[in-house]
Amino acid sequence: MKKIEIFIGSPRKKGNTNTMAEMLISGLDKNKISGDISFLYDFDIKPCVDCRGCKRGNMECLLKDDMADLYERIENCDILILATPIYWFGPSGQLKLFLDRFRPWYGNKKLESKYFASLLPAGTGATDCDLTIEMFRRAAEALGMITLGTVTAKAYDKDEVKDDAEAMENLKRLTNKICSLETWLDN
């Protein structure tokens, strides 16, 4: 069975980032595509210490924390979606810790040809998302992933994302894009 993993970098489990993720999953469920949502604040993710263990041997991270479970889930998914509110023009700290630990995949190439997308709510909308979009685009490119796109939203207060008509339309477009991938047609 094909798999989507959405990793949320928001400390708010009922905030706009989760609302976007839930809406995407709901659209995928209607098309019999399953996805899981994980809140990164529920995991102990240590910062990369540049020990360079991931550049030798099996090219695996040597730190002992919850990333071992997350590495396995990411390697076993077909589509990886990062979702984070924008904090000072970048992703949340927890999502950045998570992303910094992607280094093993640069060397071992296990994420090549997997799909990638992102969901980014920001208080003032898309203009605050440009640096994060570029960071994610470059990371996906370095890992050999295929980028499906980013949905941005103007949202600050709870459920405000639902008032952003353009974001809602773009979520539908991303859902349709995912549903139309050949990845799902080989079942």
Side-chain angles (χ1 to χ4, degrees):
M1 180 178 200
K2 301 301 181 179
K3 187 96 172 105
I4 295 175
E5 290 283 352
I6 301 176
F7 293 96
I8 295 181
S10 175
R12 295 187 186 134
K13 290 189 176 181
K14 296 184 180 191
N16 288 301
T17 310
N18 183 59
T19 299
M20 291 175 77
E22 290 285 349
M23 293 174 89
L24 180 66
I25 291 291
S26 176
L28 294 171
D29 282 346
K30 291 176 187 171
N31 290 281
K32 301 195 182 350
I33 298 171
S34 69
D36 287 329
I37 295 174
S38 298
F39 291 89
L40 294 175
Y41 279 87
D42 289 343
F43 296 90
D44 174 32
I45 302 173
K46 293 181 173 132
C48 176
V49 294
D50 194 28
C51 69
R52 303 186 184 185
C54 62
K55 295 181 180 184
R56 297 184 298 272
N58 292 334
M59 295 185 177
E60 295 176 356
C61 183
L62 302 178
L63 293 176
K64 303 297 181 211
D65 61 7
D66 291 340
M67 278 301 292
D69 173 50
L70 299 174
Y71 282 137
E72 184 178 335
R73 290 165 56 189
I74 292 167
E75 287 180 13
N76 290 324
C77 78
D78 299 289
I79 299 176
L80 170 66
I81 300 175
L82 299 183
T84 181
I86 300 300
Y87 289 0
W88 281 102
F89 312 103
S92 69
Q94 193 71 356
L95 195 129
K96 182 65 169 79
L97 285 173
F98 180 66
L99 187 61
D100 285 349
R101 298 284 297 282
F102 277 40
R103 178 63 182 89
W105 290 312
Y106 183 76
N108 67 27
K109 310 291 185 202
K110 290 182 179 178
L111 297 186
E112 276 191 353
S113 300
K114 288 187 184 281
Y115 293 96
F116 172 80
S118 57
L119 307 175
L120 307 174
T124 58
T127 57
D128 282 353
C129 300
D130 60 343
L131 296 175
T132 304
I133 292 168
E134 181 63 12
M135 177 193 301
F136 288 175
R137 185 197 66 75
R138 291 175 90 176
E141 182 180 296
L143 296 168
M145 299 180 80
I146 302 162
T147 301
L148 296 172
T150 296
V151 177
T152 63
K154 182 176 181 181
Y156 182 76
D157 290 321
K158 186 178 182 219
D159 287 333
E160 199 171 48
V161 68
K162 293 177 183 177
D163 297 331
D164 185 335
E166 184 177 353
M168 295 299 95
E169 185 57 37
N170 288 334
L171 266 174
K172 288 179 190 171
R173 283 191 188 111
L174 179 59
T175 302
N176 291 338
K177 194 176 208 178
I178 290 170
C179 292
S180 69
L181 290 173
E182 289 182 28
T183 300
W184 310 115
L185 301 177
D186 62 8
N187 286 335

